[in-house]
Amino acid sequence: MSTVMETTFTAGEVTYRLTADAVQAAAARLAPADSADPHPNRSWCALIGSHLYYVVDLVEEATGATHVKVKVARLRLAELGFPVFALAWNTLLTQGHPGHTG
């Protein structure tokens, strides 16, 4: 587990503070990605407790930020020690998605 207790990121012109506690509280308010109604266009998830949650949803819910980039969300959650996963198939496995990896 990571020893990092908080991290920051910038969305727009605002810098936001993200903590592991805020992420866990956000997860308690969100429907898990592995629920009966998954989002059809999201690939990156973080494991919080025993459920998967979409990384952007978690970070936005935890901080109140909007328009958080996928790359920022996944890297900041990983920095806090949360396991991050991508659901991938076809060329996503061999080439990645430039909007998520670049």
Side-chain angles (χ1 to χ4, degrees):
M1 186 73 176
S2 173
T3 57
V4 174
M5 299 305 294
E6 77 175 57
T7 187
T8 60
F9 67 93
T10 302
E13 296 183 11
V14 179
T15 299
Y16 295 90
R17 180 175 161 264
L18 182 66
T19 66
D21 288 342
V23 171
Q24 291 172 338
R29 296 187 297 268
L30 293 170
D34 55 330
S35 69
D37 189 26
H39 193 287
N41 298 318
R42 301 224 174 126
S43 298
W44 287 95
C45 297
L47 182 64
I48 311 295
S50 60
H51 291 286
L52 296 173
Y53 295 87
Y54 298 115
V55 296
V56 171
D57 292 351
L58 275 172
V59 172
E60 289 183 348
E61 179 72 22
T63 62
T66 58
H67 306 295
V68 173
K69 303 284 185 194
V70 173
K71 183 177 180 181
V72 169
R74 69 180 177 80
L75 292 176
R76 293 302 167 260
L77 289 168
E79 184 179 359
L80 290 173
F82 295 105
V84 177
F85 302 91
L87 305 174
W89 57 94
N90 272 343
T91 56
L92 287 177
L93 290 173
T94 58
Q95 299 172 9
H97 186 296
H100 298 181
T101 59

